[in-house]
């Protein structure tokens, strides 16, 4: 590959800036004869096959290892080893069950979400028409070499990068590579060396589709040297960002581990100095480890995220990576593509400029019907207005497209022909179907197909008793062919003042982001002969009718979704390969910017701004004509500025930025497979509002995760304090390791899981995004955990010593008092997770049906364990009298009452329970 790179850079640099003859000479090839088969094979050996390098995929073993590569698992494994070493087999087996359960859930979820398709490789499996030894032949695209002569025609996929030598009406869909929303008209003229990829009109690029015309092309780059190959290399080199939730959970786990090890070492030291047995000290250390580590945390976090995945799947959002759901909830900025995400991904007629009137197309009934409305003080013409009738006639007659319903049944899903021509037919049919059908049935007498050199198209038709010449094309080209203009009062001379006005109209519409074409006609005295040159002889001295502006319109639901994001403190920024005017127009319509005059940074100036004035880029909401490397740099710039970046994309050109962003969002309908491969989320409906739903769900999930962590850690703290206070004072173990595992597996999973899959607050999108650096638990949360844990501990220690000192119960019986008091107190503690400003009896917790199910299940399991002999023996349960059960009942309910009272007393204050 190094050899390939060296020759490529030396011999075929900037082919878009070279004259065709010069380029052919440098490549040692001939436009008519092509390469010889022998020479092609030599070059293939030197350059390598025309294919992209496959991306290495994580093996199943690596996927499995990643599930156990967790500090919590390390500590539990150490505790398991100690339990085996000292013969506590039941405890060791119970710990193994916890580890296996957590690993299996995580592995299964990520395995199900994995994408196994080799997207870039699949894009390579195409055939190529080439000229070799002076003969046309079809070969596998992977056998192409620089210097090969390609023959491209409508419907073909460009198999390599190449310089256009000759073409006929060639247009290419480059949206997967550049983001350009409409096909690009191509030509053969040399360009400046610094011309961006999106503006290289004399080149075709690997993976783009020929939508019209034909061309003869010399191959200038193959494989990884193509533009798509460069993007593939950027995808490989772009680093995956670890999800914020993963970082925070790991940080929390490390803190818990160090705190646990410190307490265990301290107790071991004091116990050893007091002459206690090593076995008792190790058993207490294991109990402490189990008490301190919320074993169910990884399980519940995974299931809570998986539940979010299922909810989002119902809203057309496929989540490939569990933690991606929560990450999107933390997003502070969303980079969105324009075409198809904010817009409908189809051209429609937007504005019609006639002499004396600028009017807009009004679409109704989902595009089935159309009308016209005036702009400003203009009056829309009626259907009998000659200006409108002339436009309608030209738009319908001077048109080679077919609507979907005009094609045969097998091809009826979409129309055929230039998207702009289809848009004209769509409007005319929606405006007056009867008129449209009448015109479509007329005979065409002669025609001049659209040519990228002349930039015009003309047709001659017999309309009623007249011979009607229809013409349309680039505004300047059509103005040069017109000497008269159609006004409300009839045909008048097109003088210099009037001509200047039309030039200004064209500039106004273009600056508004519309694609503009002009319409004109001429009534002929007789039918033209078959040899008549329509463009040269007939399309002169025409009557100008007007200008039409086209746009890919915004989706109706997008504006509300963008405003909701802004209300939630999320910046929505457009990053597109389209033109600045178009981007500003759409940006204003969907509320990304306030008006169409807002700043839009062009890709050509972005590199300088990023280097010298990075804040200017951060403060801008629209970036236009941006190439893949610039998209990637934008993501990096915003991340360095402390933002959590969500990036949408559908094309090959989006892949590096999708991979680098904190959350990559690919389009499912029109997205290339390479984009969906590297993304974290895939939108099945390609709709921006689906992103907003994902953000909402992400915020709810983070709130739920935070809630169940507070729930878990508060009662785990009470377990630690209970063991510490009893062990350090009377050197008895109030809770055995197996009891703790049994209890924690119940409370850590079922009530915590019920909290984790709650529906969340209705006001979640009214809150600002969290600081990306904010810990999963803030200072207030730690205070709350400490207060909850202390209240639980005081009740439990009080019950333990009351039973020991006043009733004289044995250590084994006191152990049972502590266990059952803690067991039920933990279950009732779930009701303490309501927000302080919510009612006591009608809140997120009490309305959660899963909470009630979890409480019933856990209560049933605890009671069953007390009565089933095998479990009763394994868990060291004693027969307890009615008065002991009364003490347990009071002890378990007391913390709930105290905490609820504190919530009422602190409601509306700076710190709330």
């Amino acid at each position: 590959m190094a050899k390939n790179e060296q020759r490529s850079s030396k011999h075929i640099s900037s082919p878009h800036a070279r004259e065709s003859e010069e380029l052919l000479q440098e490549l040692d090839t001939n436009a008519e004869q092509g390469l010889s088969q022998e020479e092609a094979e030599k070059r293939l050996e030197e350059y390598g096959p025309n294919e992209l390098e496959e991306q290495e995929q994580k093996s199943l073993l690596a996927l499995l290892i990643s599930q156990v590569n967790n500090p919590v698992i390390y500590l539990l494994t150490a505790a398991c080893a100690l339990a085996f070493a000292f013969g506590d087999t039941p405890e060791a087996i119970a710990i193994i069950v916890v580890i296996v359960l957590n690993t299996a859930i995580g592995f299964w979820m990520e395995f199900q979400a994995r994408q196994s398709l080799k997207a870039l490789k699949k894009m390579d499996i195409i055939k190529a028409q080439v000229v070799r030894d002076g003969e046309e032949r079809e070969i596998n695209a992977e056998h192409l070499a620089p210097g090969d002569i390609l023959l491209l025609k409508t419907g073909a996929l460009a198999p390599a990068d190449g310089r256009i030598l000759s073409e006929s009406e060639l247009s290419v869909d480059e949206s997967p590579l550049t983001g350009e929303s409409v096909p690009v008209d191509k030509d053969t003229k040399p360009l400046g060396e610094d011309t961006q990829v999106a503006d290289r009109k004399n080149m075709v690029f690997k993976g783009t589709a020929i939508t019209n015309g034909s061309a003869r092309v010399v191959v200038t780059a193959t494989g990884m040297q193509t533009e798509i190959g460069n993007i593939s290399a950027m995808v490989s080199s772009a680093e995956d960002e670890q999800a914020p939730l993963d970082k925070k959970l790991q940080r929390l786990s490390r803190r818990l581990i160090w705190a646990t090890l410190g307490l265990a070492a301290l107790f071991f030291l004091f116990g050893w100095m007091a002459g206690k047995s090593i076995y008792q000290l190790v058993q207490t250390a294991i109990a402490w480890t189990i008490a301190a580590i919320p074993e169910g945390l990884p399980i519940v976090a995974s299931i809570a995220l998986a539940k979010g995945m299922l909810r989002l799947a119902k809203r057309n959002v496929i989540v490939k990576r569990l933690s991606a759901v929560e990450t999107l909830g933390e997003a502070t900025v969303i980079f969105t593509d324009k075409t198809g995400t904010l817009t409908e991904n189809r051209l429609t007629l937007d504005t019609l400029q006639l002499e004396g009137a600028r009017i807009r197309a009004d679409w109704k009934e989902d595009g089935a019907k159309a009308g016209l409305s005036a702009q400003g003080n203009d009056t829309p013409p009626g259907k009998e207005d000659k200006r409108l009738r002339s436009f309608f006639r030209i738009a319908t007659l001077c048109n080679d497209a077919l609507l979907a319903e005009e094609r045969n049944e097998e091809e009826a899903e979409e129309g055929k022909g230039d998207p702009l021509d289809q848009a004209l037919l769509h409007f005319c049919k929606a405006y007056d179907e009867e008129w449209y059908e009448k015109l479509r049935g007329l005979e065409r007498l002669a025609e001049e197909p659209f040519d990228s050199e002349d930039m015009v198209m003309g047709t001659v038709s017999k309309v009623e008793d007249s011979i009607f010449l229809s013409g349309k094309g680039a505004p300047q080209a059509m103005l040069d062919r017109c000497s008269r203009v159609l006004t409300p009062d009839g045909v008048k001379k097109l003088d210099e003042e009037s001509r200047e006005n039309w030039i200004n109209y064209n500039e106004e519409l273009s600056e508004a982001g519309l694609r503009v074409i002009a319409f004109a006609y001429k009534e002929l005295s007789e039918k033209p002969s078959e040899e008549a040159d329509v463009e040269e002889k007939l399309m002169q001295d025409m009557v100008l009718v007007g200008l039409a502006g086209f746009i890919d319109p915004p989706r109706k639901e997008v504006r509300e979704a963008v405003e909701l994001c802004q209300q939630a403190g999320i910046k929505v920024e457009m990053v597109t390969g389209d033109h600045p005017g178009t981007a500003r127009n759409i940006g204003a319509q969907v509320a990304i910017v306030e008006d169409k005059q807002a700043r839009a940074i062009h890709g050509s100036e972005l590199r300088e701004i990023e280097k010298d004035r990075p804040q200017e880029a951060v403060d801008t909401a629209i970036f236009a004509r941006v190439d893949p490397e610039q998209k990637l740099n934008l993501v990096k710039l915003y991340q360095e500025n402390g933002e959590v970046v969500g990036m949408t994309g559908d094309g090959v050109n989006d892949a590096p930025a999708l991979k680098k962003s904190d959350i990559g969002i690919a389009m499912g309908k029109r997205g290339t497979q390479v984009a969906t491969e590297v993304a974290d989320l895939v939108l099945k409906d390609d709709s921006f509002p689906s992103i907003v739903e994902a953000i909402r769900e992400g915020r709810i999930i983070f709130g739920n995760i935070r809630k169940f962590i507070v729930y878990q850690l508060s009662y785990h703290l009470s377990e630690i304090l209970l063991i510490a206070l009893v062990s350090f004072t009377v050197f008895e173990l109030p809770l055995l390791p197996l009891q703790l595992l049994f209890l924690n597996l119940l409370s850590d999973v079922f009530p915590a899981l019920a909290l984790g899959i709650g529906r969340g607050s209705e006001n979640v999108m009214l809150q600002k995004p969290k600081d990306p650096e904010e810990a999963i638990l803030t200072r207030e949360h730690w205070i709350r955990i400490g207060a909850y844990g202390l209240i639980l501990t005081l009740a439990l220690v009080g019950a333990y010593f009351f039973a020991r000192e006043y009733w004289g119960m044995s250590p084994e019986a006191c152990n049972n008092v502590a266990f059952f008091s803690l067991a039920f107190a933990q279950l009732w503690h779930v009701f303490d997770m309501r927000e302080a400003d919510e009612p006591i009896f009608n809140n997120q917790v009490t309305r959660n049906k899963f909470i009630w199910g979890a409480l019933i299940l856990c209560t049933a399991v605890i009671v069953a364990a007390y009565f089933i002999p095998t479990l009763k023996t394994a868990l060291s349960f004693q027969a307890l009298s009615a008065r002991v059960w009364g003490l347990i009942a009071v002890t378990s309910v007391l913390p709930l009452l105290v905490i609820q009272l504190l919530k009422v007393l602190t409601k509306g204050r700076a710190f709330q329970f």
Side-chain angles (χ1 to χ4, degrees), residues 109-125:
M109 286 294 179
E110 292 206 20
F111 179 76
Q112 288 294 100
R114 242 169 59 150
Q115 297 291 312
S116 59
L117 297 176
K118 302 290 189 290
L120 290 169
K121 180 70 174 177
K122 185 173 181 179
M123 188 174 287
D124 276 350
I125 306 175

Side-chain angles (χ1 to χ4, degrees), residues 42 49 111 161 189 313 339 370 484 533 540 766 799 867:
K42 286 181 181 178
F111 179 76
D161 286 4
K189 299 173 185 176
T339 306
R484 295 164 292 162
D533 189 325
Q540 306 295 333
L766 299 179
F867 287 105

Side-chain angles (χ1 to χ4, degrees), residues 38 40 92 154 183 206 252 282 341 512 581 623 780 797 842 894-895:
E38 182 182 358
T154 304
K206 182 178 175 65
L252 175 64
V282 170
T341 308
F623 302 90
E780 284 191 1
V797 171
N842 183 18
L894 187 59

Side-chain angles (χ1 to χ4, degrees), residues 210-507:
I210 311 303
T211 59
N212 190 59
S214 60
R216 184 175 288 254
V217 174
V218 59
V219 174
T220 57
T222 59
M224 295 300 290
Q225 299 306 306
T226 62
E227 289 298 325
I228 204 174
N230 293 334
I231 295 170
S232 174
M234 282 192 280
V235 172
S236 301
S237 62
E239 299 176 1
D240 279 316
E241 287 294 304
Q242 186 182 22
L245 178 62
D246 293 339
K247 297 176 186 176
K248 292 171 182 179
L249 287 175
Q250 286 184 14
R251 197 179 305 133
L252 175 64
S253 299
R254 284 195 295 270
R255 290 179 179 176
L256 290 174
I257 287 171
W258 284 113
T260 301
L261 292 175
L263 283 172
L266 190 63
F267 174 80
F268 198 92
L269 178 62
F270 277 116
W272 179 73
M273 292 173 63
K276 298 298 178 181
S277 70
I278 298 296
Y279 172 78
Q280 182 182 0
L281 295 176
V282 170
Q283 191 180 42
T284 305
I286 293 174
W288 232 330
T289 300
I290 295 170
I293 300 299
E295 293 86 353
L297 176 58
I299 298 173
V300 176
S302 295
I303 294 177
L305 290 168
K307 180 67 175 178
M309 289 173 63
L310 294 176
R311 286 181 188 164
L312 287 174
K314 295 177 181 178
R315 294 180 171 90
N316 294 313
V317 181
I318 299 172
V319 181
K320 293 172 54 183
R321 184 165 55 91
L322 286 177
S323 54
V325 183
E326 184 277 333
T327 307
L328 191 56
E330 290 192 343
T332 58
V333 60
I334 300 292
F335 284 144
T336 177
D337 188 22
K338 176 186 69 66
T339 306
T341 308
L342 301 177
T343 67
E344 296 179 4
N345 195 27
R346 63 179 181 86
L347 278 180
T348 59
L349 180 66
D350 180 81
T351 302
L352 187 58
Q353 177 69 58
L354 304 175
E355 179 65 38
R358 180 172 295 183
I359 50 183
R360 293 201 62 178
D362 288 334
W363 294 94
K364 305 166 186 176
E365 301 178 19
D366 296 327
K369 294 293 181 182
L372 293 170
S373 62
Q375 288 190 15
N377 298 321
D378 295 337
T379 302
K383 286 189 176 182
E384 299 305 315
D385 186 283
K386 187 163 185 180
R387 293 169 300 169
L388 184 59
R389 291 184 68 86
S390 297
F391 162 75
F392 201 100
R393 186 178 286 179
I394 299 165
T396 308
L397 296 176
C398 190
N399 200 309
D400 288 330
L402 290 173
L403 295 178
E405 56 269 29
E406 295 172 337
R407 306 182 71 185
N408 63 50
E409 292 184 4
E410 295 179 354
E411 301 174 322
E413 290 187 6
E414 57 183 29
K416 179 181 180 181
D418 186 85
L420 189 145
D421 280 351
Q422 291 186 54
L424 284 171
L425 295 184
H426 184 204
F427 171 78
C428 292
K429 185 173 183 180
Y431 185 72
D432 191 322
E433 187 170 359
E434 183 180 352
W435 198 7
Y436 170 81
E437 295 294 348
K438 182 180 178 181
L439 289 169
R440 289 291 277 175
L442 295 178
E443 179 187 1
R444 181 179 291 185
L445 304 176
E447 64 182 351
E448 171 66 27
F450 179 83
D451 187 286
S452 56
E453 291 289 333
D454 302 320
M455 302 299 287
V456 296
M457 174 184 179
T459 61
V460 180
S461 307
K462 185 175 181 180
V463 181
E464 298 173 349
D465 295 328
S466 65
I467 306 299
F468 191 83
L469 170 62
S470 308
K472 74 175 192 290
Q476 190 60 57
M478 291 303 296
L479 276 171
D480 291 343
R481 297 170 185 273
C482 293
S483 60
R484 295 164 292 162
V485 60
L486 184 59
T487 74
D489 301 321
V491 177
K492 293 185 177 181
K493 182 181 179 182
L494 183 64
D495 56 27
E496 287 305 314
E497 181 181 356
S498 180
R499 190 179 296 274
E500 189 64 33
N501 287 338
W502 283 101
I503 292 174
N504 291 335
Y505 295 152
N506 177 42
E507 291 177 352

Side-chain angles (χ1 to χ4, degrees), residues 267 283-292 716-737 740 793 797 822:
F267 174 80
Q283 191 180 42
T284 305
I286 293 174
W288 232 330
T289 300
I290 295 170
H716 276 274
L717 176 62
S718 71
E719 293 171 359
I720 293 171
L721 294 176
L722 173 62
I723 293 171
L725 288 173
V726 174
S727 299
F728 277 109
T729 53
V730 296
F731 281 96
E732 294 174 359
L733 195 58
L735 295 169
L736 299 174
L740 283 167
T793 302
V797 171
L822 176 62

Side-chain angles (χ1 to χ4, degrees), residues 704-766:
N704 289 343
I705 289 176
R706 180 174 265 177
K707 194 169 291 182
F708 75 64
I709 289 177
V710 170
Y711 169 68
Q712 287 183 334
L713 292 188
S714 54
Y715 66 70
H716 276 274
L717 176 62
S718 71
E719 293 171 359
I720 293 171
L721 294 176
L722 173 62
I723 293 171
L725 288 173
V726 174
S727 299
F728 277 109
T729 53
V730 296
F731 281 96
E732 294 174 359
L733 195 58
L735 295 169
L736 299 174
L738 192 57
Q739 290 175 338
L740 283 167
L741 268 176
F742 173 79
L743 192 55
N744 288 350
L745 276 178
L746 287 179
S747 299
D748 276 10
V749 175
F750 298 106
L753 178 58
L755 284 173
I757 60 178
R759 291 288 181 178
S761 170
E762 295 178 357
N763 299 323
V764 69
M765 289 300 285
L766 299 179

Side-chain angles (χ1 to χ4, degrees), residues 22 39 130 158 223 330 336 382 433 536 650 727 786 806 833 837 844:
E22 177 189 357
E39 176 63 20
V130 299
E330 290 192 343
T336 177
E433 187 170 359
E536 281 290 337
D650 61 349
S727 299
Y806 286 91
M833 296 303 106
D837 55 358
Q844 293 178 51

